[in-house]
Amino acid sequence: CSAIDACKTSNGGCSAKAECRRTTPGNRACVCNAGYTGDGIVCIEINPCLESNGGCDRNAECTQTGPNQAVCNCLKGYSGDGKRCTYISLCSQNNGGCSEFATCNDTELTERTCTCKRNYIGDGFKCRGNIFQELLRDSNTSRFYFHLEALSIRDIAGPGPFTLFVPRTDVLNSDPRVKDWVAKGVMAQVLRYHMVGCASLLYSDLTTVTNITSLHGDPIHISYSQNSLVLNNKAEIILRDAVGTNGVIHVINQILVP
């Protein structure tokens, strides 16, 4: 007589995910494979994520990859190996994308607010100070700023409001009359002719008036032609509505002459 091997046929009736082990002749025991749980007849894959988040950080997602196997991935807004995740402050890098003149505040995951600092206005992503400061920050208007500085003209550094028509930098650099005006001592008058006091006139406001008085004292004539605003029938506004705390800047393509 020979002993009957209970495991010989159909894995002894054990689960396909179990090992059939011979015990006594004609008997066997079914033991679930590693990564599975059950009585050996029925073996179910163990999902480690169901208990204690699979050992992942509470700010991580546990994803089952196999029997009793899982990976941990930090949730959006956190960084780390998944076992340990730390909050990422959006404001900690590049001021959160806010303006350099704004304060960045983390509010919630993947969110932050940008608020312009005192003495600046804007949406937080772009903040402007007074128009005198803003002249220097834009290459289109920086030459005008240097002319004001050279003559110690600080009118537009005051509380305002002001409206400024600034000839673009390349225009001021290329117009031969500028050197003559500087030599003759009349450049200050020319510069003040580009300034309007007591009003911050946006482009839309300018379309409703025909004359405004400059700080120099002479009027500036405004007309609307071919969908463009033209000053003194000559200079066209090419960049508009750079709003600062004490006024607004418009860039023009020619110099106004009083």
Side-chain angles (χ1 to χ4, degrees):
C1 295
S2 59
I4 296 173
D5 183 354
C7 294
K8 187 174 183 180
T9 305
S10 300
N11 198 32
C14 300
S15 166
K17 303 297 183 182
E19 178 187 1
C20 181
R21 297 178 182 175
R22 294 171 60 188
T23 54
T24 58
N27 294 305
R28 54 91 177 101
C30 299
V31 181
C32 292
N33 295 336
Y36 293 83
T37 184
D39 61 5
I41 305 298
V42 177
C43 294
I44 300 172
E45 192 172 282
I46 297 172
N47 183 353
C49 296
L50 298 178
E51 186 175 342
S52 301
N53 200 30
C56 303
D57 188 272
R58 64 188 181 92
N59 293 307
E61 180 182 26
C62 179
T63 304
Q64 184 182 6
T65 56
N68 205 25
Q69 295 177 326
V71 293
C72 302
N73 294 297
C74 293
L75 297 174
K76 188 175 182 180
Y78 292 85
S79 67
D81 60 5
K83 297 292 185 181
R84 184 172 182 178
C85 300
T86 54
Y87 174 64
I88 300 171
S89 168
L90 293 179
C91 296
S92 64
Q93 295 182 337
N94 195 32
N95 201 30
C98 303
S99 165
E100 62 178 305
F101 305 112
T103 301
C104 179
N105 288 304
D106 289 292
T107 53
E108 55 185 84
L109 292 184
T110 70
E111 296 293 335
R112 52 90 178 87
T113 60
C114 301
T115 307
C116 292
K117 295 177 181 178
R118 188 180 177 185
N119 297 324
Y120 288 88
I121 60 171
D123 60 6
F125 297 98
K126 190 165 188 177
C127 300
R128 292 191 177 98
N130 68 53
I131 57 176
F132 187 68
Q133 296 171 310
E134 293 305 314
L135 287 173
L136 183 60
R137 297 192 183 112
D138 188 337
S139 61
N140 287 308
T141 58
S142 57
R143 189 61 186 165
F144 193 86
Y145 171 88
F146 291 128
H147 279 295
L148 294 177
E149 277 285 88
L151 296 169
S152 298
I153 298 174
R154 293 297 182 94
D155 306 56
I156 57 172
F162 301 100
T163 301
L164 202 55
F165 301 104
V166 181
R168 199 171 57 198
T169 289
D170 61 320
V171 174
L172 283 171
N173 285 339
S174 61
D175 195 317
R177 297 175 297 174
V178 172
K179 287 185 179 180
D180 292 335
W181 291 331
V182 172
K184 293 176 181 178
V186 297
M187 191 61 185
Q189 298 173 42
V190 174
L191 294 174
R192 286 196 171 96
Y193 186 52
H194 293 78
M195 307 174 189
V196 176
C198 303
S200 180
L201 300 170
L202 299 175
Y203 192 88
S204 57
D205 299 321
L206 294 171
T207 62
T208 65
V209 296
T210 55
N211 287 285
I212 49 178
T213 303
S214 69
L215 288 186
H216 172 261
D218 286 354
I220 300 172
H221 176 68
I222 301 174
S223 57
Y224 196 68
S225 174
Q226 296 180 341
N227 297 322
S228 297
L229 273 179
V230 179
L231 310 181
N232 292 348
N233 299 316
K234 185 176 182 183
E236 181 181 340
I237 294 178
I238 53 176
L239 296 171
R240 66 180 78 169
D241 295 347
V243 178
T245 55
N246 65 338
V248 59
I249 299 171
H250 305 288
V251 178
I252 56 179
N253 62 355
Q254 292 196 46
I255 298 174
L256 301 177
V257 182

